[in-house]
Amino acid sequence: MKHITKLLAAAAVSMAISLPARAETALTVHYPMPGFFKDVMDTISKKFMEENPDIKIQFASPSATYEEGIQTILRQVGTSELPDVTFVGLNRLRMLNERNVGLNLSPLVQKDGNMAEQGFSDTILKLAQVNGKQVGLAFATSNPIMYYNADLVKAAGGDPDNPPKTWDEVIALGGKIKALGNGVDGIDFRWQGDDWMFSALLFGAGGKMLNEDESKVAFNGPEGQKAVETLHRMVTEGGMPVFTKAAGEQAFAAGKVGFEFQTTGALRNTIKNVGNKFDLRTAKIPLIDPVNGRLPTGGNAVVILTQDEAKQDAAWKFAKFAAGPYGASVVVPGTGYVPNNELAAKSAEYLGDFYKQNQLFQAGLSQMPVMVPWYAFPGSNGVKVTQTIVDNLSRIVDGSAEPKEALDDAADNVQGMLPRS
């Protein structure tokens, strides 16, 4: 009997040795803005690996901003440092497409055949398309909202239950909050870093960045002039100081600013940082033109970079999972971004009841009907164009240039950076 047992044991060992081990595919994933996304990425990747034990997710060092992220990826193209998957700002997908960087997902979408059943409607798919080509899948989408300190609004004679609905009302109440003294400021408008919040004013006035054939700058037209004049009035009438992005956020969280205008994606962090210091509220951001005004869609898309076919299959699984209903159910409550997946937004299993129970998140959701794509400038100078706009907005805020002067200077400089036909 012992002899038979030994034989069986030996046979089992022999079979274990001869059978090939299950192959594991390792994907290196890069993402931007860890302050927003680190916890979200950790949660999504952990769940994905539990459901796909043959795929391992490992993270490259994250980038501080979308702009830094795209430049890092473009530097790494053709090197061993290039990650298999990355998350790219929606306004930078065009840069990848023009350089033919990244996998065309259109054949995978067609082959999949049931994207709508997974919550990826045509509208959602188009957020990450360039000229009809599926460059990525929208992962996190946002719009700019108004955060406000209800205690300061009330102290200045406003009604916290009926927040301002026009920029005139915001600026007037901001000035009254500033007049309260004690180191309090009226407004923080997040103009730094990129052109997104300028887009909120420009698009909100019904304007466009370039003309239809993208040969000429259009943001210095009447709509653009209204946009920069509004920014100027925030400073001169509304009590807005020259904040850095971080300083503005810290001052608002400390209860020293009445109104803060920035992405809904910062909502979770804002709630955490404010704590119980004051009564935090949110509302829609005013549109300069309530009829024709629109808002830019911020956020990013998951993009597959690897040329390895085996890794591409694994990366497609991960991309759909991250941008799918489970991913959205992590991103929305974990950040404040609006849902980019219809199944997640509608199903009680994911976010169906979330908005009923979380009033602060409803402002961004209510603005989804007026969201339009974050404009992507053509050519190789996209990052320089963005910085040029930001630099001239800075001149308006610090008072070193009149609004029209700064806007015209930005337009002249950007015109010279556009591709020549």
Side-chain angles (χ1 to χ4, degrees):
M1 184 71 179
K2 288 182 179 179
H3 180 67
I4 294 173
T5 302
K6 288 182 178 180
L7 286 174
L8 290 172
V13 171
S14 176
M15 288 180 65
I17 293 173
S18 62
L19 287 174
R22 181 173 56 193
E24 182 182 80
T25 301
L27 294 176
T28 301
V29 177
H30 164 267
Y31 64 91
M33 302 197 303
F36 283 1
F37 293 116
K38 183 182 185 304
D39 291 344
V40 165
M41 290 294 182
D42 288 346
T43 300
I44 291 173
S45 63
K46 181 180 178 181
K47 180 69 170 177
F48 176 77
M49 288 188 287
E50 287 175 358
E51 296 188 8
N52 299 272
D54 57 332
I55 303 174
K56 180 183 178 181
I57 303 299
Q58 54 195 22
F59 291 111
S61 296
S63 300
T65 64
Y66 289 140
E67 316 308 308
E68 181 183 309
I70 187 64
Q71 292 184 78
T72 296
I73 293 301
L74 293 177
R75 282 197 305 268
Q76 292 175 345
V77 171
T79 73
S80 59
E81 295 180 328
L82 187 71
D84 301 307
V85 175
T86 188
F87 290 77
V88 176
L90 293 175
N91 69 324
R92 298 305 179 206
L93 294 174
R94 184 171 184 169
M95 292 180 69
L96 292 182
N97 185 61
E98 290 179 346
R99 290 161 176 77
N100 200 30
V101 174
L103 184 67
N104 179 5
L105 301 185
S106 296
L108 295 178
V109 169
Q110 293 172 2
K111 182 180 178 182
D112 204 271
N114 64 341
M115 295 297 284
E117 294 177 11
Q118 299 172 61
F120 298 100
S121 66
D122 286 342
T123 300
I124 288 171
L125 288 174
K126 285 178 180 177
L127 288 174
Q129 291 177 2
V130 178
N131 297 326
K133 175 182 173 182
Q134 198 73 46
V135 180
L137 292 179
F139 169 69
T141 50
S142 65
N143 55 58
I145 62 171
M146 178 170 72
Y147 299 75
Y148 64 101
N149 182 324
D151 297 344
L152 290 179
V153 167
K154 187 174 181 180
D159 180 358
D161 295 327
N162 292 286
K165 294 179 174 59
T166 68
W167 282 113
D168 285 343
E169 293 173 353
V170 168
I171 291 168
L173 190 49
K176 292 178 181 178
I177 291 173
K178 174 72 173 179
L180 294 173
N182 195 30
V184 170
D185 291 302
I187 299 172
D188 173 37
F189 186 88
R190 204 229 77 181
W191 55 270
Q192 314 90 337
D194 55 45
D195 58 27
W196 193 60
M197 288 300 288
F198 172 65
S199 297
L201 294 174
L202 176 68
F203 296 174
K208 296 181 178 181
M209 286 292 189
L210 303 183
N211 65 355
E212 290 300 323
D213 66 4
E214 297 186 317
S215 63
K216 292 183 180 179
V217 167
F219 63 71
N220 62 335
E223 299 86 0
Q225 291 177 29
K226 291 178 183 177
V228 293
E229 184 58 37
T230 299
L231 181 65
H232 176 64
R233 290 181 59 209
M234 290 184 206
V235 177
T236 58
E237 303 173 36
M240 184 172 83
V242 184
F243 278 135
T244 63
K245 179 179 182 294
E249 291 173 348
Q250 290 165 9
F252 180 77
K256 293 295 185 179
V257 177
F259 295 97
E260 180 176 54
F261 296 90
Q262 71 153 319
T263 173
T264 185
L267 180 53
R268 177 56 68 190
N269 282 346
T270 302
I271 292 171
K272 177 182 175 182
N273 293 334
V274 168
N276 296 318
K277 291 192 284 289
F278 60 85
D279 182 4
L280 173 66
R281 309 275 188 97
T282 62
K284 293 181 180 181
I285 189 172
L287 301 174
I288 294 174
D289 182 338
V291 176
N292 299 308
R294 297 292 182 266
L295 292 174
T297 302
N300 62 69
V302 54
V303 175
I304 298 174
L305 299 173
T306 181
Q307 297 298 309
D308 184 311
E309 290 188 7
K311 284 191 173 186
Q312 286 175 354
D313 290 340
W316 179 235
K317 285 184 180 180
F318 177 70
K320 288 195 296 179
F321 186 84
Y326 177 79
S329 74
V330 175
V331 170
V332 172
T335 58
Y337 281 78
V338 295
N340 63 295
N341 184 280
E342 291 190 354
L343 186 58
K346 297 175 181 177
S347 172
E349 180 184 354
Y350 298 107
L351 295 170
D353 297 327
F354 175 80
Y355 288 99
K356 299 175 185 176
Q357 301 164 4
N358 294 272
Q359 286 286 119
L360 293 176
F361 288 76
Q362 292 183 8
L365 185 70
S366 67
Q367 294 180 151
M368 290 184 73
V370 296
M371 289 169 63
V372 295
W374 185 359
Y375 185 72
F377 286 90
S380 60
N381 291 319
V383 175
K384 290 181 180 179
V385 166
T386 292
Q387 191 58 49
T388 297
I389 292 173
V390 170
D391 289 345
N392 281 284
L393 294 179
S394 176
R395 296 170 66 204
I396 296 171
V397 175
D398 68 21
S400 62
E402 290 298 314
K404 188 176 186 308
E405 176 190 0
L407 185 67
D408 287 343
D409 287 347
D412 288 342
N413 290 331
V414 170
Q415 185 64 49
M417 297 180 195
L418 297 179
R420 299 184 184 219
S421 55

